[in-house]
Amino acid sequence: MLSTHISLEDTPTLYSAPSSSTKRSYIWRLKVEQVKLLDRFSTSNKSLTGTLYLTATHLLFIDSLQKETWILHHHIAAVEKLALTTAGCPLVIQCKNFRIVHFIVPRERDCHDIYNSLLQLSRQAKYEDLYAFSYNPKQNESEQIQGWQLIDLAEEYRRMDVPNLNWKLSDANRDYKICETYPRDLYVPRAANKPTIVGSSKFRSKGRFPVLSYYHQDKQAAICRCSQPLSGFSARCLEDEHMLQAINKANPSNRYMYVMDTRPKHRMQSWWASKKDIGRIVVRISSKIWRDEKIRESDEKARLNAMANRAAGKGYENEDNYSNIRFQFVGIENIHVMRTSLQKLLEVNGTKGLSVSDFFSGLESSGWLRHIKAVLDAAIFLAKAIVNESASVLVHCSDGWDRTSQVCSLGTLLLDSYYRTIKGFMVLIEKDWISFGHKFSDRCGHLDGDPKEVSPVFTQFLECVWHLTEQFPQAFEYNEAFLLQIHEHVHSCQFGNFLGNCQKEREDLKLREKTYSLWPFLLDDQEKYLNPFYTPSSQKFTVLEPNTVPFNFKFWRNMYHQFDRTLHPRQSVFKLIMNKNDQNKQLEKEIKELESKIKQQKTRHTDTVLTKESLHCIHADSPALKPSLCFKKEQTLLPVNDAIRTIEGSNTADNRYSEYAEEFSKTEPAVVSLEYGVARMTC
Amino acid sequence: MEFSELIRTGRAEALLLPGPGQPPVRGTLCITSHHLLLSAGHGSPGDLWLLLRNVDAVEKRVAGNSGTITLKCKNLHVLQLEIEGLEETLDIASSIEALTSLESVTTSYPFFYRPQSLRLGDAANLHPPDHFYQQVALQTDAWRLSAVNRDFDVCASYPPALVVPVGIGDEVLARSARFRQGGRFPVLCYYHTTNGTVMLRSSQPLQGANRRRCAEDEELLRAVLALGGGRGLVLDTRSAQAVQQARITGGGTEAKAAYPGWKRLHRPLERGRPLQDSFVRLVEACTDPSLSMDRWLSRLDGCRWLTHVKETLTAACLAAQGMDREGVCILVHGAEGTDTTLLVTSLAQLILDPKCRTMSGFQSLLEREWIQAGHPFQQRCAHSAYAQARPKHEAPVFLLFLDCVWQLSRQFPLSLEFGEGMLLAVFEHAYASPFGTFLCNSEKERYLCEVKTKTHSLWSSLNQSKERRRLRNPIYTPNPLALWPSVEPQSLQLWAGLFLRWTRPPEPAQEAWEQLWRIVTEQEGGDTL
């Protein structure tokens, strides 16, 4: 393979493209010229011609206008080689950030080389081969350490006023002995002792026993999380019952608590129904079921069914065994349903020449928005239980790292305005997603693994947050770009934060020494992520009460079509407002400076005798100040021009109606039409 | 006629439920000849002051000794009145029904409305009929102002002053008019300054099954091509099949052989009943919060409203593109040339002409391309989405236009001087208004009813400075370029500000809008320092 240097001047527009300083010395392994990049939505196969480079980390396409398209290998979800055409060999690359590129490589051999290289480069077997381990943002060691220390979860719990009278820090999991997928530091009710914790963890799937996720200072209510109880195997576990009791007691303001199972009830039943043949389940049917009139009346077969169904009920806590528990199912589907749903959605939206009708029926049949609504509804239930009833809530799903993370994090986002700030959102992700063991590497397919483990659970969380920002335009410090950027890096493997599936794994990988944290980089750039409409609420606990009637849900174009520029608005309000805001601040500053100057002048003059001339002097000063303001004003025109420039990008060629334009240029048929012969003059 | 004969009960005690997000009001209900008032006393903020013409449907329900009247308004607001007393309920309902079904124009409210801040006739010079011609005359002397229709003899739905090619005499126009349905011969509606191409509109030629021709009509269109670059495109807003059908009843389209240089393009746009049905079904879906996500999406799909938006924008973009990029002259027509034709011509102008995107430019666009061009507002907007009566001539063509403008404003948020508030205001006033602007079906009828001298103009009201915050776009930045919108389904949105206006609380969006104004005006305040 050839190997040469690419030297590039412009900084790429793509988020995760390497910075220009590092880029200069990029080494490419493969270079193919005369490659065509097809317009994804064009029905007339419009294309750009350029050169394709393959580097160790990126695929780079530079078109004839010198515009660069960078694709990180880790972002590649699928590469597909289509059947050879007269123009060349088509290669379709689908990315995890929803970019889809369609190349046509003139020679099949080249296409084959690229295809094989990409397959190899996009599927790493070891963590150590991921980009984060080679990425060097030119930070020194102390900056690296500081970066990792930016988010401190112990401090976050202190912010919630934990530990306190009712909640304590437990060292039970210091060495990951009780639960491998939990963090070392766990907060539990003060009444829960070690035997209770150990016993409860044995009763819970993967040892994920109930721990504190969020403590609501005002209501003294807590959000706890865990995995499903293994009550199908043995009917009850006293320690687990104690644990829940302790959680309940830790909340002095309400005598009952909620247990939220985030799974849909019907799925639970079918899961258990499929397990019933294994025969290793010892179902102890409580006497209650035999007393049930209907069952006694029915025949043997129906009785068996009922037994199976009752067994199905054992995937969650038996209310009989737990006192003061209110049980709640919320129907969020599992990772497989979600994966299929997103696939369907993307299929529909990738269609060329999509009609409005196909778009909506596709949106409907994918079920995507229904799932988003279900997640948000669950979070609302959680928030309401805390706010309206001051009740503590224990949330779980199966393993307690997917749906549970969604519901806990969204619930607290509704409750606590801190999480609606940039820093707070980082904390929220660190706490409910990273530290509690959402399996980022499995769900995002960072390594070449089981495709059935991949699921857009975190993407759904971001989409729910986006829907909230749409409903409450002033409540969030961050904007859509922030959510998109986080999504980008969850998949990029450029930073260490999202690598691995749990904290233990991250420690074993020594990520803190070998990679960098994303958060300081986002904070440095925070200008880009600020919401100009943000109005911080005066109170800490300003609860958001979103309305989840279906018409409040929209397709998130800027996520799923973020790289399809032609579908986007042609002008950005955001830039303009941010500039206006900046100018306002600048002007205010200037006013203050002027005022202080005037004051100084005044005092100086009052020191001397105040004469008419001196007064004149002050006035003479003020017109001189005017130009400086005017100058600022002219500067403000820059972003405006910028906006116009984005319009210039909008041309008829970008849009599908332009394809009718061929009608204009078609030559007139030479044959005189028959109409002429029968035409008769009137008038 | 005395209004008082129709009012069976003038007063009653009632509880008003104005809809989700707003508090109920208890007070005295009062019906006057044109209004329904409900006051809790001393001008409290929740007072209702409802123009009866705004009521689209009245539903009454009685239970025991009280009743509920549901008023469904043309601006899509639904409000409920709970009235004590069976008799009163029935009387009030029938009074409202009687007063809302009055059809006479001259007894309508605009002829009585006399606000203190406005003077009659103020708006007469706001959008003078020959203003458009003056603008064209600045650029070229190839077009003239013809007074052939000064007595509305040649065409009942055209205004008296029309712009036509210089070399074409009035008698040719009159002949051409006879060959066009309703006398709507081709007239200039837009002159594209950048390259001198033009857009004309007309009605369909009366070709008929015998494929008749008209020498004068052909001469007129030949003259247009001679002035505007030599190539022309007839954009027919019907399908080729619909044109075939129209021939049977005497209509048709321009035969290729008879009009050399003119090509034909069919872009079928829905109008009439199908469009009205689409509107009704969309509003039904939007007012039903009990729908599941799947039902909602399937009803949004089933009503086809956004399909209409997409098709309309596409047709307008095509026309605009033909002029701007291909340098061809465009003639737009459907059948009568008063509905979909105007949709295309007005939108194409908004896309191409920065002047139309200003506050006053937009008003004169509406005035010229809709009101004076003879869109039958009275027929089309007689009822909105709630009326139970079988629609006769109703169709939300104008609303579809406003929706398309809104889509443009979403994709080019800085390029229109007016905001969503302006579009909402125009929508409301087109359906029910104290102003005379949207009364009647044509200039002729307006002349006969003396609308211009006896009613106030909406424009002078909207141009008052107190309306600024509501109607203007605070971040408007003049943009000299054409606006080419994306028409992909992913780029189009449901106009929540209109269709969901009354079903969800407006606060968050409203506050953000206010803040936008604050951010922008803060700076202006700084300038005056």
Side-chain angles (χ1 to χ4, degrees):
Chain A
M1 263 192 221
L2 290 167
S3 139
T4 308
H5 292 260
I6 318 168
S7 114
L8 297 160
E9 299 304 324
D10 296 332
T11 35
T13 43
L14 194 110
Y15 301 118
S16 56
S19 64
S20 50
S21 54
T22 55
K23 219 167 50 179
R24 240 165 245 275
S25 55
Y26 254 60
I27 293 171
W28 45 266
R29 300 180 175 183
L30 197 67
K31 176 184 173 185
V32 185
E33 283 170 348
Q34 291 297 312
V35 173
K36 281 191 183 133
L37 174 62
L38 288 191
D39 181 334
R40 186 178 163 202
F41 291 103
S42 165
T43 44
S44 61
N45 287 345
K46 250 190 327 182
S47 66
L48 289 165
T49 308
T51 310
L52 196 65
Y53 299 88
L54 192 72
T55 76
T57 52
H58 288 81
L59 183 69
L60 167 64
F61 179 77
I62 305 179
D63 65 26
S64 48
L65 305 165
Q66 296 305 308
K67 199 177 146 281
E68 299 162 19
T69 306
W70 290 85
I71 297 168
L72 189 62
H73 295 326
H74 297 318
H75 269 144
I76 295 174
V79 195
E80 203 182 345
K81 221 168 61 164
L82 304 181
L84 196 67
T85 67
T86 47
C89 192
L91 188 71
V92 180
I93 301 173
Q94 283 182 42
C95 300
K96 293 168 185 171
N97 54 9
F98 308 113
R99 183 201 280 273
I100 293 179
V101 283
H102 195 144
F103 290 118
I104 293 189
V105 185
R107 291 193 323 180
E108 199 188 358
R109 228 200 114 60
D110 290 335
C111 184
H112 194 71
D113 282 350
I114 299 171
Y115 175 76
N116 282 337
S117 313
L118 284 181
L119 274 191
Q120 195 197 340
L121 289 166
S122 64
R123 289 181 193 167
Q124 303 295 354
K126 296 202 309 278
Y127 282 114
E128 283 79 3
D129 293 333
L130 294 175
Y131 187 28
F133 288 88
S134 60
Y135 175 67
N136 181 1
K138 304 261 184 313
Q139 269 191 349
N140 62 37
E141 210 170 298
S142 73
E143 281 174 319
Q144 185 180 15
I145 294 168
Q146 271 173 14
W148 281 111
Q149 286 167 343
L150 185 71
I151 308 292
D152 178 4
L153 289 183
E155 192 185 302
E156 167 59 10
Y157 279 95
R158 277 197 296 280
R159 190 191 67 89
M160 300 177 205
D161 190 31
V162 173
N164 59 20
L165 257 168
N166 296 314
W167 295 89
K168 67 176 183 193
L169 175 65
S170 157
D171 58 0
N173 202 36
R174 267 289 131 83
D175 309 311
Y176 298 113
K177 284 224 173 92
I178 293 183
C179 175
E180 286 205 337
T181 57
Y182 267 168
R184 287 177 192 272
D185 290 346
L186 292 168
Y187 295 85
V188 293
R190 207 159 274 283
N193 54 23
K194 188 108 189 235
T196 312
I197 291 174
V198 173
S200 169
S201 77
K202 283 190 179 137
F203 182 63
R204 296 273 169 181
S205 165
K206 310 278 197 304
R208 295 171 68 91
F209 64 97
V211 293
L212 181 74
S213 159
Y214 177 77
Y215 178 74
H216 197 286
Q217 239 173 307
D218 240 24
K219 305 277 178 191
Q220 296 179 295
I223 299 175
C224 294
R225 54 185 293 168
C226 62
S227 60
Q228 66 180 347
L230 301 171
S231 49
F233 302 100
S234 62
R236 55 192 294 187
C237 164
L238 286 174
E239 291 90 343
D240 195 61
E241 286 161 30
H242 285 154
M243 189 72 192
L244 263 68
Q245 223 163 36
I247 292 174
N248 197 8
K249 288 272 162 57
N251 178 0
S253 42
N254 198 322
R255 48 169 280 278
Y256 61 85
M257 68 180 279
Y258 282 99
V259 171
M260 266 177 93
D261 192 324
T262 54
R263 296 166 294 185
K265 210 160 182 173
H266 66 92
R267 290 225 169 248
M268 296 280 313
Q269 286 167 353
S270 56
W271 182 75
W272 277 98
S274 68
K275 297 260 167 176
K276 75 173 185 229
D277 299 330
I278 300 169
R280 65 190 170 98
I281 310 166
V282 188
V283 188
R284 275 212 259 136
I285 298 149
S286 68
S287 57
K288 198 176 161 194
I289 199 165
W290 295 110
R291 271 187 263 117
D292 196 314
E293 282 299 314
K294 273 186 193 154
I295 291 170
R296 216 181 306 154
E297 281 164 19
S298 60
D299 61 15
E300 189 65 20
K301 198 179 166 193
R303 186 179 298 166
L304 277 173
N305 275 337
M307 281 167 64
N309 279 338
R310 184 63 189 178
K314 292 289 172 87
Y316 47 87
E317 296 78 357
N318 187 337
E319 282 176 79
D320 298 345
N321 300 335
Y322 295 87
S323 50
N324 295 322
I325 281 191
R326 300 200 174 174
F327 204 79
Q328 181 70 28
F329 267 108
V330 290
I332 305 176
E333 298 284 355
N334 64 30
I335 57 166
H336 310 294
V337 175
M338 300 305 190
R339 181 181 54 244
T340 325
S341 169
L342 183 62
Q343 265 162 7
K344 272 190 203 154
L345 182 77
L346 295 178
E347 253 166 52
V348 170
N349 291 322
T351 318
K352 279 182 186 177
L354 183 66
S355 75
V356 176
S357 179
D358 291 344
F359 172 66
F360 280 117
S361 57
L363 200 56
E364 181 199 338
S365 69
S366 76
W368 183 253
L369 287 178
R370 181 167 35 109
H371 299 315
I372 296 291
K373 177 174 152 57
V375 174
L376 211 48
D377 276 332
I380 292 169
F381 177 87
L382 172 66
K384 276 191 176 158
I386 300 232
V387 173
N388 298 344
E389 302 176 53
S390 303
S392 291
V393 185
L394 174 66
V395 185
H396 75 75
C397 46
S398 304
D399 290 318
W401 51 45
D402 293 314
R403 290 168 270 199
T404 304
S405 295
Q406 287 179 332
V407 174
C408 288
S409 55
L410 280 169
T412 46
L413 191 69
L414 295 176
L415 290 169
D416 191 335
S417 50
Y418 174 65
Y419 300 121
R420 293 170 224 146
T421 64
I422 287 189
K423 180 86 184 292
F425 194 63
M426 295 172 178
V427 169
L428 185 66
I429 292 175
E430 278 286 341
K431 175 168 73 74
D432 272 316
W433 292 87
I434 297 174
S435 89
F436 277 118
H438 172 68
K439 303 202 288 174
F440 274 106
S441 275
D442 281 0
R443 295 291 176 260
C444 303
H446 288 160
L447 297 179
D448 192 13
D450 183 1
K452 285 217 159 68
E453 281 287 311
V454 176
S455 185
V457 178
F458 188 73
T459 308
Q460 285 185 320
F461 162 69
L462 291 177
E463 181 162 343
C464 289
V465 177
W466 175 75
H467 271 108
L468 292 174
T469 61
E470 286 284 294
Q471 266 197 51
F472 303 97
Q474 294 176 299
F476 291 83
E477 188 187 18
Y478 41 89
N479 60 23
E480 188 179 42
F482 187 58
L483 303 177
L484 292 177
Q485 184 70 299
I486 291 173
H487 183 263
E488 179 85 8
H489 285 299
V490 164
H491 293 94
S492 73
C493 305
Q494 190 174 352
F495 297 95
N497 307 60
F498 304 103
L499 300 189
N501 288 318
C502 60
Q503 292 296 58
K504 181 171 185 292
E505 203 172 352
R506 286 184 195 105
E507 282 174 25
D508 294 347
L509 287 168
K510 298 199 167 49
L511 288 179
R512 284 184 172 238
E513 291 140 59
K514 294 184 176 164
T515 70
Y516 295 85
S517 166
L518 168 67
W519 308 127
F521 293 89
L522 293 186
L523 270 187
D524 281 350
D525 266 358
Q526 63 172 305
E527 298 277 283
K528 283 191 216 156
Y529 309 126
L530 288 175
N531 168 16
F533 295 113
Y534 177 53
T535 324
S537 55
S538 47
Q539 286 149 341
K540 184 179 167 196
F541 299 111
T542 314
V543 183
L544 297 185
E545 292 174 46
N547 185 342
T548 57
V549 280
F551 45 65
N552 280 333
F553 290 86
K554 294 181 280 201
F555 170 68
W556 191 6
R557 181 188 55 215
N558 291 358
M559 171 64 95
Y560 305 104
H561 287 297
Q562 50 182 309
F563 295 97
D564 305 314
R565 201 183 53 83
T566 56
L567 300 185
H568 291 231
R570 309 303 212 246
Q571 291 178 312
S572 147
V573 183
F574 170 70
K575 264 196 220 156
L576 184 101
I577 309 264
M578 285 318 272
N579 273 305
K580 288 262 180 199
N581 257 342
D582 283 353
Q583 288 157 26
N584 287 349
K585 273 181 208 146
Q586 185 66 34
L587 284 174
E588 268 167 36
K589 214 175 97 191
E590 257 169 72
I591 291 170
K592 275 200 190 116
E593 279 172 16
L594 290 178
E595 278 172 349
S596 66
K597 250 189 210 168
I598 291 173
K599 245 183 221 160
Q600 277 175 13
Q601 293 249 359
K602 268 188 184 162
T603 46
R604 205 186 304 155
H605 284 294
T606 43
D607 285 350
T608 62
V609 186
L610 193 70
T611 64
K612 265 188 187 169
E613 272 140 285
S614 62
L615 265 176
H616 184 74
C617 209
I618 298 176
H619 285 291
D621 236 14
S622 28
L625 298 169
K626 276 258 158 82
S628 84
L629 285 177
C630 292
F631 174 67
K632 280 282 181 302
K633 185 88 176 131
E634 267 179 353
Q635 276 186 324
T636 70
L637 288 176
L638 275 173
V640 171
N641 288 336
D642 221 30
I644 290 174
R645 231 178 293 136
T646 58
I647 292 201
E648 266 167 5
S650 140
N651 57 48
T652 48
D654 278 348
N655 302 301
R656 251 201 296 137
Y657 47 77
S658 66
E659 280 151 24
Y660 295 106
E662 288 160 15
E663 297 276 338
F664 298 129
S665 33
K666 252 190 238 158
T667 47
E668 191 86 37
V671 196
V672 177
S673 73
L674 197 68
E675 285 176 320
Y676 193 76
V678 278
R680 245 189 324 143
M681 290 291 200
T682 59
C683 304
Chain B
M1 180 205 47
E2 287 296 318
F3 291 112
S4 55
E5 289 168 17
L6 302 170
I7 303 173
R8 301 175 70 173
T9 301
R11 266 164 193 284
E13 292 302 309
L15 176 72
L16 167 71
L17 304 165
Q22 286 160 290
V25 183
R26 185 175 291 284
T28 310
L29 182 94
C30 180
I31 293 179
T32 70
S33 13
H34 295 109
H35 285 96
L36 183 144
L37 313 174
L38 187 131
S39 172
H42 305 296
S44 45
D47 280 4
L48 176 70
W49 185 270
L50 179 72
L51 189 63
L52 283 174
R53 190 165 280 261
N54 193 357
V55 175
D56 202 24
V58 186
E59 284 164 20
K60 50 181 185 282
R61 216 174 51 237
V62 286
N65 198 26
S66 68
T68 307
I69 297 180
T70 307
L71 296 178
K72 298 186 168 178
C73 300
K74 289 176 185 166
N75 62 5
L76 309 182
H77 192 184
V78 176
L79 38 91
Q80 276 193 356
L81 293 166
E82 282 176 11
I83 297 167
E84 279 168 37
L86 190 67
E87 200 78 348
E88 284 87 344
T89 308
L90 295 176
D91 280 351
I92 283 178
S94 63
S95 307
I96 296 174
E97 271 163 1
L99 287 166
T100 51
S101 52
L102 288 179
E103 280 187 1
S104 151
V105 174
T106 47
T107 57
S108 67
Y109 185 58
F111 287 86
F112 299 87
Y113 179 54
R114 295 291 176 263
Q116 288 180 336
S117 55
L118 301 175
R119 275 188 319 166
L120 274 182
D122 268 357
N125 298 320
L126 217 54
H127 303 286
D130 61 344
H131 175 75
F132 169 59
Y133 173 68
Q134 305 294 351
Q135 294 288 313
V136 175
L138 288 176
Q139 310 289 336
T140 169
D141 49 9
W143 298 85
R144 71 182 183 92
L145 197 63
S146 164
V148 67
N149 198 35
R150 77 180 79 80
D151 303 318
F152 305 105
D153 289 342
V154 173
C155 171
S157 60
Y158 269 165
L162 294 159
V163 184
V164 296
V166 144
I168 299 293
D170 281 356
E171 52 321 319
V172 177
L173 298 177
R175 289 253 171 158
S176 166
R178 263 187 266 160
F179 185 61
R180 297 272 172 179
Q181 185 173 2
R184 295 174 70 92
F185 58 89
V187 293
L188 183 75
C189 68
Y190 174 62
Y191 179 83
H192 193 41
T193 327
T194 7
N195 59 5
T197 51
V198 291
M199 182 160 58
L200 293 94
R201 52 176 158 74
S202 68
S203 60
Q204 63 177 344
L206 298 173
Q207 199 185 17
N210 298 334
R211 320 256 166 157
R212 275 173 307 202
R213 292 174 54 172
C214 167
E216 287 80 1
D217 195 69
E218 289 165 20
E219 186 188 342
L220 173 56
L221 288 186
R222 210 163 37 237
V224 170
L225 280 199
L227 296 175
R231 285 195 300 154
L233 177 83
V234 177
L235 200 124
D236 198 319
T237 60
R238 301 162 295 173
S239 65
Q241 209 180 359
V243 171
Q244 283 286 356
Q245 296 244 305
R247 282 210 189 95
I248 298 166
T249 51
T253 193
E254 287 76 6
K256 273 185 195 136
Y259 299 88
W262 288 91
K263 289 183 192 184
R264 237 168 41 205
L265 184 65
H266 294 279
R267 294 296 303 161
L269 297 181
E270 215 63 85
R271 62 196 192 113
R273 270 298 283 283
L275 194 60
Q276 177 72 10
D277 284 349
S278 166
F279 178 39
V280 171
R281 283 160 67 190
L282 175 62
V283 171
E284 264 172 20
C286 289
T287 44
D288 187 352
S290 67
L291 291 178
S292 71
M293 184 65 80
D294 288 359
R295 282 298 293 149
W296 158 251
L297 289 172
S298 87
R299 292 192 45 189
L300 202 55
D301 170 24
C303 78
R304 294 180 50 80
W305 181 261
L306 282 168
T307 304
H308 299 318
V309 170
K310 178 181 155 80
E311 293 303 323
T312 307
L313 273 173
T314 309
C317 288
L318 265 172
Q321 190 190 6
M323 297 178 72
D324 192 52
R325 300 293 154 107
E326 314 283 332
V328 295
C329 299
I330 308 272
L331 168 66
V332 187
H333 70 71
E336 292 94 342
T338 54
D339 294 297
T340 48
T341 306
L342 305 181
L343 260 180
V344 175
T345 58
S346 54
L347 277 171
Q349 293 181 48
L350 210 59
I351 289 167
L352 290 177
D353 187 1
K355 280 200 279 312
C356 294
R357 303 175 208 143
T358 64
M359 195 70 171
S360 67
F362 186 60
Q363 290 176 10
S364 62
L365 179 76
L366 294 179
E367 184 72 34
R368 189 160 47 80
E369 283 300 290
W370 288 91
I371 299 168
Q372 292 177 16
H375 177 66
F377 277 100
Q378 198 183 334
Q379 290 182 347
R380 298 291 178 260
C381 302
H383 284 292
S384 143
Y386 294 124
Q388 282 111 348
R390 221 181 124 79
K392 287 186 294 236
H393 304 291
E394 290 84 353
V397 185
F398 186 60
L399 173 60
L400 184 57
F401 163 72
L402 295 177
D403 198 333
C404 293
V405 178
W406 181 82
Q407 305 285 350
L408 278 179
S409 78
R410 297 298 292 193
Q411 296 194 26
F412 301 89
L414 311 184
S415 298
L416 304 181
E417 195 185 7
F418 46 93
E420 187 179 38
M422 175 72 180
L423 300 175
L424 290 174
V426 171
F427 159 70
E428 286 195 329
H429 285 285
Y431 277 87
S433 171
F435 300 97
T437 304
F438 290 106
L439 284 183
C440 304
N441 292 311
S442 65
E443 283 296 281
K444 185 183 180 184
E445 286 181 26
R446 264 169 233 126
Y447 171 75
L448 293 174
C449 295
E450 301 176 90
V451 167
K452 292 235 162 101
T453 49
K454 291 188 170 171
T455 69
H456 284 287
S457 157
L458 172 65
W459 310 133
S460 38
S461 158
L462 293 186
N463 289 337
Q464 289 172 322
S465 57
K466 64 173 182 190
E467 299 283 16
R468 195 182 141 82
R469 274 209 173 204
R470 186 166 68 101
L471 305 177
R472 283 178 193 255
N473 176 8
I475 49 175
Y476 170 61
T477 316
N479 165 20
L481 303 165
L483 312 179
W484 301 112
S486 160
V487 294
E488 299 288 343
Q490 293 98 322
S491 305
L492 302 175
Q493 291 177 357
L494 177 70
W495 186 4
L498 187 128
F499 294 107
L500 302 173
R501 183 176 172 193
W502 308 100
T503 34
R504 65 178 192 191
E507 288 90 15
Q510 192 64 43
E511 279 167 20
W513 180 255
E514 287 294 325
Q515 198 181 347
L516 185 56
W517 266 102
R518 270 201 299 282
I519 293 169
V520 176
T521 47
E522 209 169 287
Q523 194 167 21
E524 285 169 15
D527 288 346
T528 57
L529 186 89

